[in-house]
Amino acid sequence: MSAREAAYDAAVAKLNSIYSGQIPEQVAREIADAALDTAPQSDPWTPIYRLVGWLDRQNGRTDHEISMRLLKLVEEAGEVAQAYIGTVGQNPRKGVTHTRQDVADELCDVIITAMVALVSIADRAPDDILAAKLAKVTRRASSEGGAR
């Protein structure tokens, strides 16, 4: 199996994991294709828009559905915490159960889920919203002697 095929299979598996196996295989494959065809990923929004389109077709975009997308973000953040706790073996009954790579993977799930939520709720281009927020945070950090 080539590296690309392995990456493709991993991307499809990750999408199925994030959406608890509810995403149709064909949609997962289309999103994986889009993500891999733009390597290096110069536009992370393309697969996100496809995910949002699929979710909208399946569930609509009602206030309730948007609430569920926001709650999904909280669920994913909890999985980051769980993975990190597992890296330090904080639970003496379980010991060390996760790696830093597990934490990184969970953080990626948070990012993807946040991007889906942003596209779902934004009243203007989400990439513009994110760029403006990044610029604001960077300016604030720079003025406080932080990021330069």
Side-chain angles (χ1 to χ4, degrees):
M1 176 181 292
S2 72
R4 178 174 167 70
E5 290 169 326
Y8 178 81
D9 288 345
V12 171
K14 189 54 139 176
L15 287 165
N16 283 321
S17 170
I18 292 171
Y19 292 98
S20 305
Q22 297 299 311
I23 189 168
E25 188 73 15
Q26 182 59 35
V27 173
R29 292 189 177 288
E30 287 175 15
I31 294 166
D33 280 340
L36 293 174
D37 285 344
T38 57
Q41 188 67 46
S42 59
D43 178 20
W45 294 100
T46 299
I48 298 300
Y49 279 111
R50 288 184 179 176
L51 274 171
V52 170
W54 171 74
L55 287 169
D56 287 351
R57 286 188 301 278
Q58 297 300 309
N59 301 337
R61 198 184 290 195
T62 63
D63 287 344
H64 175 76
E65 176 61 20
I66 290 173
S67 296
M68 295 300 99
R69 293 177 194 185
L70 295 171
L71 288 172
K72 181 70 175 173
L73 181 56
V74 174
E75 175 192 354
E76 295 296 342
E79 292 177 14
V80 170
Q82 179 183 17
Y84 183 74
I85 287 169
T87 66
V88 297
Q90 188 272 336
N91 184 332
R93 184 176 54 81
K94 294 181 180 179
V96 174
T97 59
H98 290 77
T99 65
R100 292 179 69 88
Q101 183 59 52
D102 294 328
V103 177
D105 287 345
E106 295 299 342
L107 285 167
C108 289
D109 289 350
V110 168
I111 293 165
I112 292 165
T113 304
M115 291 173 76
V116 166
L118 181 58
V119 169
S120 300
I121 203 165
D123 57 359
R124 61 189 177 102
D127 52 334
D128 291 343
I129 294 169
L130 180 59
K133 185 64 171 184
L134 282 169
K136 180 179 177 180
V137 170
T138 302
R139 279 192 307 274
R140 184 173 62 226
S142 294
S143 70
E144 295 173 4
R148 296 196 189 274

